[in-house]
Amino acid sequence: MMTYAVMEAAGKQYKVYANEKIKLDLNRDFRVGEKLIFNNILLIGGDIVKIGTPLIPNASINATVLSVGKDKKIIVFKKKRRQGYQKTQGHRQHHVEVLINEVNCGS
């Protein structure tokens, strides 16, 4: 059984496996090839399951930044009927695509 982890980044939880690509909603300037270490590990699963209270001590996830970009544009439309009010806005969310190199279980 493959080892996986549930980590917390920017207020969201992600289930990750080793050698997996994921997109994170992180609002910071990243460079392609930058090494990241995530220490907020909530759960490690696989043959043996470790559950944090709330975090698992000494557990970490090593990752590498693959790309930085924006998602597709979404349209936000607001309207109040019979008031003559309508507003249209667009939004593109920033994201960082990372490759999970290793899941360290800690002790």
Side-chain angles (χ1 to χ4, degrees):
M1 183 174 214
M2 289 187 60
T3 301
Y4 66 91
V6 176
M7 67 175 215
E8 187 267 331
K12 297 182 180 178
Q13 294 179 4
Y14 300 92
K15 181 179 178 181
V16 297
Y17 292 91
N19 301 320
E20 178 186 29
K21 296 179 187 176
I22 61 170
K23 287 184 180 180
L24 304 176
D25 294 334
L26 297 180
N27 294 329
R28 200 188 103 205
D29 292 332
F30 291 98
R31 283 178 262 127
V32 175
E34 184 177 348
K35 304 290 184 188
L36 301 176
I37 297 175
F38 297 101
N39 294 321
N40 294 339
I41 311 302
L42 305 172
L43 180 137
I44 293 179
D47 295 333
I48 299 173
V49 176
K50 289 185 183 179
I51 300 174
T53 57
L55 301 176
I56 299 174
N58 302 324
S60 65
I61 293 177
N62 297 334
T64 306
V65 175
L66 296 177
S67 67
V68 178
K70 291 183 177 182
D71 284 333
K72 291 183 176 181
K73 181 180 272 192
I74 62 166
I75 303 299
V76 179
F77 182 72
K78 298 179 180 182
K79 180 177 178 155
K80 294 185 180 179
R81 62 182 195 164
R82 295 188 295 271
Q83 304 299 315
Y85 171 78
Q86 62 184 23
K87 183 178 182 181
T88 304
Q89 285 183 314
H91 177 73
R92 293 183 71 186
Q93 183 70 32
H94 293 272
H95 67 81
V96 177
E97 185 175 15
V98 299
L99 173 67
I100 304 299
N101 297 327
E102 182 181 17
V103 176
N104 298 324
C105 298
S107 57

